Amino acid sequence: MSAPIDPVALTQALLRADSVTPARGTVFDVLESALVPLGFAVDRFVVGEAPDGPVENLLAVRGNGPRHLAFAGHVDVVPPGEGWTGSPWSGEVRDGLLYGRGAVDMKGAVAAFVAAASRSDAGTLSLIITGDEEGPATYGTVALMERMAARGIVPDLCLVGEPTSTARLGDMVKIGRRGSVNIWIDVPGRQGHVAYPHLADNPIPRLIAILAEIETVVLDEGTDWFQPSNIEVTDIAVGNPAHNVIPAKASARLSIRFNDQHRGTDLIEHIRAIAERHAPGAVVTGKVSGEAFLTEPGAFSTLLSAAIVGATGVAPELSTTGGTSDARFLSKLCPVVEFGLINATMHKVDEAVAVADLLTLTDIYENVIARALG
Ligand SMILES: [Zn+2]
C-alpha cells in the first residue's frame, strides 16, 4: 500500500478546483491523481450535450474480493453566491473550520472515503462519482449506472456520502427518500364580458372544484419509516388584469412529496381523473423528479450504525426525511444508505466543515469498509 492520504489536504485540493455544476476537468484530475496510486483503475468519461451537459463522470474500481462496497457521490457544487468572508475556492482553515463551496456537500466526504480507502486493501471497492448531482442530473449517476451495467460491475452495498448529519456528526443516517412530483392543471374556458356570462364560460369555478376535492385526498397514513404523503397546492394563476372580463383559462400547480406506497406516474393519473371529473378537457401535466425508495433496516444500516457509534458515541437516527438524492437511482442496484457530514451550511455562504469532523468521518468510513468487506 502507498502512504495514507490526508483527508484534509485532499478536501482542500478538491475545494480549490472551481466545479460549479456541471463539473468537468480539474476537480476530476485531482481525484484521479489521488486514486491511481492507491491501485484504483479509473474510468473517466464525458457525456451529454447542452443544456444539461456535457457532464464528466468517474468510475474507480479496486480489488477483486468476493464482497463489493461502492461509495457514491458528486464533485460538482452549487454556485457560491455573494457575501463570502474569503474566497469560496480558497480551501482555507480558520479556527478549526475548513471553508469552501462543497466542503460538506460533498467534497469533504469524497476525500474522507478516499483517505479511508488508502488505509485498507480489503475486498472490492468502487467510487461512483458524478459531475452533475446539483444540476439536472440527466447525465450523472444514471449514466454511471449504464456504464457499470455495460462493464458488468454490480456492488453488494452502496454508501452515498451526502451530508445527512444535522446537529452532530453521526446523528442521522438516511435509509430512504420520499419521491417528488410536480403537477400543472390548466382548465380552459371561453373569454367574455362579465355582464354577458351566458356568452362566456368561466374556468375558475371548475378549477376551485378540482382543488377543493384535491384538498380532501388522503394518500396514506404514513408507514413505519415514512411520514404521510402530502399534496401541496403551490400556485393558482389566472392573470386577469380586468374587472369586466371572464378569463379564458385558469391554472394551478401542485407539488406532491410521497412515500414508497406510491409511484409518481400513478399520482399524476390520480390528479388527472379528479380534474377530468370537474372540468372535462382540463390539461394535466406532471414531472416526476424522483421516485420514493427504502432500504429496509437490516445488515447494512446495522453495520453503519455500529461504525458511527464506535467513532462518535452517537447512535444515529434512521430517517427518510428531506429532499431527493441520487440514492433514488442507485437503490435499483443494491441496498443503499446515505451518511455524511453535518448539513447545516450546505448551499449557504461560508460553507464549512470542521477539520475534526473530516478526521472522524474518515475513521467511520474506514470502519464501514472493514465491517462490510472484512
Ligand atoms: Zn450533495
Side-chain angles (χ1 to χ4, degrees), residues 74 76 104-106 133-134 161-163 346-347:
H74 61 91
D76 62 321
V104 295
D105 185 13
M106 55 170 279
E133 193 274 345
E134 301 288 6
E162 287 288 344
M346 67 176 175
H347 296 204

Side-chain angles (χ1 to χ4, degrees), residues 5 8 21 48 136 143 160 162 174 205-206 239 299 329 333 356:
I5 282 180
V8 178
T21 192
V160 176
E162 287 288 344
K174 301 262 165 115
R206 291 199 294 283
F329 303 124
L333 281 182

Side-chain angles (χ1 to χ4, degrees), residues 13-374:
L14 291 169
L15 290 175
R16 285 167 186 155
D18 173 341
S19 60
V20 170
T21 192
R24 276 194 295 159
T26 311
V27 72
F28 285 97
D29 296 343
V30 172
L31 188 55
E32 179 176 11
S33 61
L35 288 168
V36 168
L38 301 179
F40 282 90
V42 174
D43 176 11
R44 289 169 60 176
F45 58 99
V46 175
V47 283
E49 286 162 19
D52 292 356
V55 169
E56 184 159 6
N57 296 305
L58 179 151
L59 181 60
V61 185
R62 183 184 74 185
N64 48 15
R67 297 276 291 166
H68 178 170
L69 172 68
F71 174 88
H74 61 91
V75 289
D76 62 321
V77 296
V78 295
E82 301 294 320
W84 284 65
T85 305
S87 162
W89 317 114
S90 69
E92 63 180 337
V93 176
R94 294 194 306 271
D95 300 327
L97 294 174
L98 171 51
Y99 287 86
R101 172 57 81 224
V104 295
D105 185 13
M106 55 170 279
K107 292 175 175 178
V110 171
F113 193 84
V114 174
S118 77
R119 302 178 189 169
S120 158
D121 54 8
T124 303
L125 274 187
S126 62
L127 285 93
I128 306 167
I129 306 293
T130 179
D132 177 24
E133 193 274 345
E134 301 288 6
T138 309
Y139 302 112
T141 297
V142 173
L144 276 158
M145 288 171 63
E146 287 167 3
R147 190 83 157 194
M148 292 167 72
R151 291 182 49 194
I153 297 170
V154 185
D156 297 301
L157 302 168
C158 182
L159 174 65
V160 176
E162 287 288 344
T164 57
S165 300
T166 59
R168 285 188 62 185
L169 181 67
D171 62 4
M172 187 174 286
V173 164
K174 301 262 165 115
I175 57 167
R177 297 273 188 160
R178 288 180 297 170
S180 169
V181 58
N182 294 316
I183 298 177
W184 292 258
I185 304 171
D186 291 309
V187 178
R190 190 152 42 92
Q191 188 177 323
H193 196 298
V194 292
Y196 302 87
H198 55 290
L199 298 177
D201 177 21
N202 192 341
I204 294 175
R206 291 199 294 283
L207 180 62
I208 290 171
I210 293 168
L211 297 178
E213 179 169 345
I214 286 171
E215 282 298 303
T216 67
V217 171
V218 177
L219 289 172
D220 57 72
E221 305 287 345
T223 71
D224 285 354
W225 295 105
F226 282 100
Q227 60 197 100
S229 303
N230 179 55
I231 306 177
E232 209 59 46
V233 179
T234 53
D235 191 29
I236 297 176
V238 178
N240 181 4
H243 291 294
N244 55 357
V245 174
I246 291 171
K249 192 177 94 166
S251 305
R253 198 170 68 219
L254 321 172
S255 184
I256 307 180
R257 296 299 167 114
F258 57 94
N259 60 35
D260 63 344
Q261 307 291 294
H262 305 276
R263 285 181 344 138
T265 45
D266 297 339
L267 292 169
I268 296 168
E269 284 311 313
H270 190 96
I271 298 298
R272 185 171 286 138
I274 292 172
E276 190 62 31
R277 224 168 15 251
H278 296 282
V283 178
V284 173
T285 49
K287 188 170 189 317
V288 181
S289 43
E291 297 289 349
F293 81 92
L294 176 70
T295 296
E296 290 274 356
F300 194 13
S301 48
T302 301
L303 81 80
L304 176 57
S305 295
I308 293 168
V309 172
T312 65
V314 178
E317 176 190 347
L318 305 181
S319 170
T320 61
T321 55
T324 66
S325 83
D326 276 4
R328 70 186 187 268
F329 303 124
L330 296 157
S331 63
K332 296 183 182 79
L333 281 182
C334 63
V336 178
V337 295
E338 300 176 67
F339 175 66
L341 294 160
I342 295 172
N343 55 30
T345 61
M346 67 176 175
H347 296 204
K348 291 185 179 171
V349 164
D350 285 342
E351 179 177 349
V353 58
V355 168
D357 282 353
L358 265 184
L359 302 177
T360 305
L361 184 66
T362 305
D363 291 343
I364 294 169
Y365 284 165
E366 179 187 4
N367 201 278
V368 169
I369 293 170
R371 287 171 188 266
L373 303 179

